[in-house]
Structures are given as structure tokens and as C-alpha cells.
Amino acid sequence: MTEKNVYLIVAVDENNGIGKEGKMPWHFKKEMEFFRDTTSETMEFDTKNMVIMGRTTWESIDPKFRPLQDRENVVLTHNPDYNAEGAAVCYSLGEALRKADLDEKIGDIFIIGGAQIYELALPISNGLYLTKIHNSYDCDTVFPDFSEYYTNPPENLGTKEENGTEFSFHFYSRERETF
Ligand SMILES: NC(=O)c1ccc[n+]([C@@H]2O[C@H](COP(=O)([O-])OP(=O)(O)OC[C@H]3O[C@@H](n4cnc5c(N)ncnc54)[C@H](OP(=O)(O)O)[C@@H]3O)[C@@H](O)[C@H]2O)c1
């Protein structure tokens, strides 16, 4: 399906919640910086990473901040008339991955949510960046169970604190099956 690295990146609360009423339930500058830096950094000069997201997640981003800069933005929808200014629209995850594979200027692929798209991408991913927010937010959308795919203990990437809330950064990796 793709030779490139496919990473999921997510922030979850104590109950694995990720969203509420179509929006992010929290706003932490330091968490957003981690997200921006991790998804933007590339190993090679003159390449960009691809960020793939569901239509709901795209719409949850403030129009001032989209497309996410310095990254190739891809929005998944079933709607053939959907237009996402500054982003490519694809109608399946496979189509988005093929697009990345055909473009040598694309480095890594980051699946940035939401729940529906994480669920689709978990089986074909080879890494998961998970930020645990040590608080609970009465979310209506949760991150899918990933224990079947990521069985090794995570690497701990540190902790931060903002406005009295602590969050910790973790990276899970796995050998990906060949397709
Ligand atoms: N905490 C975090 O790290 C994080 C990260 C991202 C998002 N979120 C939150 O998660 C929530 C959104 O998650 P969600 O699961 O409701 O929505 P989502 O995954 O962002 O988007 C769902 C939409 O994606 C499209 N889609 C789904 N499967 C598809 C497929 N196989 N092929 C093509 N298109 C497909 C459909 O769009 P159409 O209806 O247009 O067909 C579907 O309605 C929000 O609250 C958001 O803020 C949290």
C-alpha cells in the first residue's frame, strides 16, 4: 500500500476521549507545538510530510490556520463535491496513500484524526504518537482500542504542564506487515 512511514498522532484524555461536539475539548499551546513540530519535521531537505484527516477534523480547524502550513494537507470525504481550500480531497485512505507514494517530495505520512480515520489507519500504521492529558473532559468521541496493533511498551518522550494540567508524550512502534 505504501513504503513510507505512516504515523498516527493523537492526544487523549484519561478516558481515551479525543473530541467533543466536533471540536478539540482542550487547548494547550505546548501540546499544539509538539503536534506542529512532530508533523512538520522531515529527514530530508526539500520534502514535506503529508497530514491526512477526516472531513470533520478539517472543519474543526480554525480557517485562519488551515491548511496546516508546511505540510501537504489531505481531507477524506465521501462527498464528490467537497472542496477544502488549500488541501487535496481524497475519497479513500488508499487513494491518499497512493498519492503520497507517487510523490517523491512527500516524506512521512501522519494520520491526524479523527476517530473514524484513526480506526481506518491503525492496521496499516507503523507508529503512534500518543499524548496523554492527565484530566477528563466529558468527550463524545474516543480513540479506538489499539492494543491489538501496538503490543510493545511505549517510549516515553517527556512530560509538560500548562495551566495546572500535566500531559505526557509517548511513542509506540511496531513492525508493519507487508501488503
Ligand atoms: N484529540 C485529538 O488528537 C484529535 C485529533 C483529531 C480530531 N479530534 C476530534 O475528533 C472529532 C472528529 O472525529 P470524527 O471521528 O467524528 O470525524 P473524522 O474522522 O475527523 O471525520 C469523519 C469524516 O471523514 C470522512 N470519512 C470517514 N471514513 C472515510 C472513508 N473510508 N473514505 C472517505 N472519507 C471518509 C467522512 O466525511 P463525509 O461525511 O464528508 O463523507 C466522515 O464523516 C472532533 O471532535 C475533533 O476535534 C481530536
Side-chain angles (χ1 to χ4, degrees), residues 27-77:
H27 184 80
F28 296 116
K29 209 164 158 251
K30 292 176 190 169
E31 202 277 313
M32 287 309 296
E33 281 167 4
F34 177 82
F35 171 84
R36 184 200 59 209
D37 294 349
T38 306
T39 56
S40 302
E41 254 169 38
T42 55
M43 299 297 281
E44 284 178 49
F45 171 74
D46 205 24
T47 61
K48 267 204 247 188
N49 295 327
M50 177 181 278
V51 288
I52 301 178
M53 70 200 94
R55 194 256 312 155
T56 310
T57 294
W58 168 260
E59 289 179 359
S60 77
I61 302 171
D62 186 326
K64 285 199 298 271
F65 300 118
R66 64 184 203 216
L68 300 179
Q69 65 175 20
D70 304 324
R71 288 150 286 182
E72 178 78 18
N73 288 226
V74 174
V75 180
L76 296 187
T77 178

Side-chain angles (χ1 to χ4, degrees), residues 6 122 125-128 146-152 172-174:
V6 179
L122 259 172
S125 64
N126 57 309
L128 164 63
F146 58 92
S147 56
E148 181 191 340
Y149 302 105
Y150 289 94
T151 49
N152 296 328
Y172 294 81
S173 61
R174 71 195 272 250

Side-chain angles (χ1 to χ4, degrees), residues 11 18 22-24 55 57 76-78 91 112 114-116 118:
I18 63 165
K23 300 208 171 70
M24 288 290 284
R55 194 256 312 155
T57 294
L76 296 187
T77 178
H78 296 106
Y91 305 106
I112 65 164
Q116 291 185 33
Y118 290 135

